[in-house]
Amino acid sequence: DVKVTQSSRYLVKRTGEKVFLECVQDMDHENMFWYRQDPGLGLRLIYFSYDVKMKEKGDIPEGYSVSREKKERFSLILESASTNQTSMYLCAGGDSLNTEAFFGQGTRLTVV
Amino acid sequence: ELKVEQNPLFLSMQEGKNYTIYCNYSTTSDRLYWYRQDPGKSLESLFVLLSNGAVKQEGRLMASLDTKARLSTLHITAAVHDLSATYFCAVDRLEGAQKLVFGQGTRLTINP
């Protein structure tokens, strides 16, 4: 079974903190993604990466950055957390040969 | 800009009935995905539709794609309680890149 694993299921952070969300995939896939999910809005793409050290902005990159130093790991960074970044964050991995994107279990982040 | 709209957003139905969820999208794409999400859980891939006229079935769920009409449907036959979940469609904005644009989701509740 392919697997995408996010390091935390639940996180509570304070406003202004630097926050790291970690994601690891065991599929040897080139593509990795970070989405956030909010009620009524579906999932929105924050950043994606199609290779090590490569990244591109998605639809809502403001306030976020990413890091991909190894193929299997993709990190989402909130430079200075704000309350409007309270959300469910979902990591995904995939490659075009397989067509599918596989999602991690999600991290519910609360910024207080 | 690619936009994806689902309807209905909420659906409550009785066991044994049939119903259809609709997914419209605004620009050309040949890849459409359907996902299921249970409360507090991640996204589970249901179907990947890759070409015009594609039809896929799994149990009581059947998905189809009409790329000319930019429409996909998810049909539920003889609903059972276990199908209660939120269903998302997603469209790949660039073939093979898996940069998905999601619909808002349809929350389906099936009552005994």
Side-chain angles (χ1 to χ4, degrees):
Chain A
D1 272 359
V2 297
K3 227 175 206 178
V4 178
T5 304
Q6 295 179 229
S7 55
S8 304
R9 290 295 307 275
Y10 301 95
L11 276 179
V12 181
K13 296 292 182 181
R14 295 194 180 278
T15 300
E17 276 193 77
K18 190 169 186 176
V19 181
F20 293 85
L21 302 184
E22 307 287 347
C23 175
V24 176
Q25 54 108 350
D26 67 358
M27 306 174 288
D28 201 35
H29 283 176
E30 289 82 17
N31 300 336
M32 295 190 77
F33 311 85
W34 276 105
Y35 291 87
R36 68 176 276 177
Q37 181 180 11
D38 299 288
L41 297 178
L43 281 75
R44 292 176 293 166
L45 182 63
I46 305 171
Y47 264 98
F48 75 101
S49 169
Y50 50 89
D51 203 349
V52 175
K53 296 192 187 293
M54 305 300 284
K55 60 186 179 186
E56 284 194 25
K57 294 179 180 178
D59 298 314
I60 50 165
E62 295 78 18
Y64 303 95
S65 62
V66 291
S67 172
R68 192 164 181 201
E69 296 296 318
K70 294 185 178 180
K71 190 175 186 180
E72 66 271 18
R73 188 178 297 272
F74 192 35
S75 303
L76 180 69
I77 304 156
L78 285 67
E79 296 291 342
S80 177
S82 63
T83 54
N84 64 13
Q85 292 178 309
T86 291
S87 187
M88 170 73 93
Y89 290 87
L90 289 154
C91 175
D95 82 44
S96 55
L97 294 178
N98 290 316
T99 70
E100 288 196 55
F102 297 92
F103 284 80
Q105 75 274 33
T107 297
R108 186 165 292 282
L109 173 68
T110 303
V111 182
V112 298
Chain B
E1 181 190 350
L2 175 58
K3 292 189 176 178
V4 181
E5 292 193 353
Q6 289 179 235
N7 73 85
L9 300 185
F10 298 92
L11 179 56
S12 182
M13 53 193 290
Q14 296 292 319
E15 278 192 328
K17 299 289 188 186
N18 303 334
Y19 211 80
T20 301
I21 300 171
Y22 297 88
C23 175
N24 290 92
Y25 55 98
S26 60
T27 65
T28 302
S29 176
D30 287 335
R31 290 191 178 198
L32 189 135
Y33 301 75
W34 283 99
Y35 287 91
R36 168 183 172 147
Q37 186 179 41
D38 293 299
K41 301 288 179 67
S42 188
L43 273 69
E44 173 192 353
S45 177
L46 294 175
F47 301 108
V48 182
L49 302 170
L50 297 178
S51 61
N52 187 41
V55 177
K56 290 195 174 180
Q57 183 162 6
E58 180 77 30
R60 299 175 189 274
L61 300 177
M62 183 173 72
S64 66
L65 177 62
D66 181 344
T67 58
K68 291 186 172 63
R70 297 177 188 159
L71 171 68
S72 179
T73 60
L74 180 67
H75 187 72
I76 302 146
T77 301
V80 294
H81 179 69
D82 285 353
L83 291 178
S84 296
T86 299
Y87 293 85
F88 290 94
C89 66
V91 177
D92 197 341
R93 73 189 84 192
L94 183 64
E95 186 174 323
Q98 299 172 319
K99 291 169 62 179
L100 303 182
V101 178
F102 281 79
Q104 312 95 309
T106 297
R107 185 180 294 179
L108 174 63
T109 303
I110 298 168
N111 304 302

